[in-house]
Amino acid sequence: MAFREKIAWVSFLSTVLIWGAFFIILALTPHAVRGLAMLGPFIVATVAQAAVMIAAATIWAISAPKEANAPADERDRAVGRRATGFAYFTLILGVVAVIVWLHFGLHGPDTIFALAGAFILAEAIRFGATLLGYRRGWHG
């Protein structure tokens, strides 16, 4: 498996698991105590994802330094462009959904969490589309 594909796998799995846990905790937290009470779990999730990504990239870069330092080839760039397109579309839909939701009662810190959720969903879509690009030759 190529270095960039390994990074995409770790990115996708860590995003889904870490941020999925964060949003489950958020959903289980009573609405009245959200806000600053969720700042701690938000910071923990951010640091956890960064630590996982740094550890994985470091381990794989040490084990295969030539592959880690190689520039992206044409296939890598095509996979990235296609995945970014899917993610951008998802992000736009998420932001529009948050704007519509604002008119139906979304307010306060929930707005920030909804926007963060749209961004994280878009990133998960980008990593997933990158994986599909490598696995199924989905790079158009």
Side-chain angles (χ1 to χ4, degrees):
M1 189 181 308
F3 178 77
R4 285 181 171 69
E5 186 177 351
K6 291 177 188 173
I7 294 297
W9 271 110
V10 170
S11 301
F12 178 73
L13 291 175
S14 66
T15 299
V16 169
L17 294 175
I18 293 170
W19 289 103
F22 171 80
F23 283 106
I24 288 172
I25 291 169
L26 179 68
L28 296 176
T29 302
H31 188 269
V33 296
R34 286 185 191 162
L36 284 180
M38 290 304 297
L39 184 60
F42 184 83
I43 291 171
V44 168
T46 302
V47 170
Q49 176 139 23
V52 167
M53 292 305 304
I54 289 169
T58 302
I59 290 169
W60 285 323
I62 290 171
S63 66
K66 280 186 177 179
E67 193 176 351
N69 292 323
D73 62 11
E74 186 175 321
R75 180 178 176 235
D76 295 329
R77 289 191 297 269
V79 166
R81 272 193 309 269
R82 187 169 179 126
T84 300
F86 287 126
Y88 183 72
F89 182 72
T90 304
L91 181 61
I92 294 298
L93 285 179
V95 169
V96 169
V98 169
I99 291 169
V100 170
W101 197 2
L102 281 169
H103 294 287
F104 292 98
L106 182 67
H107 63 320
D110 289 341
T111 306
I112 302 298
F113 293 130
L115 287 172
F119 175 75
I120 290 164
L121 178 63
E123 281 295 286
I125 295 288
R126 185 169 69 90
F127 298 136
T130 300
L131 291 174
L132 286 175
Y134 284 121
R135 289 276 119 193
R136 305 207 176 219
W138 237 33
H139 48 79

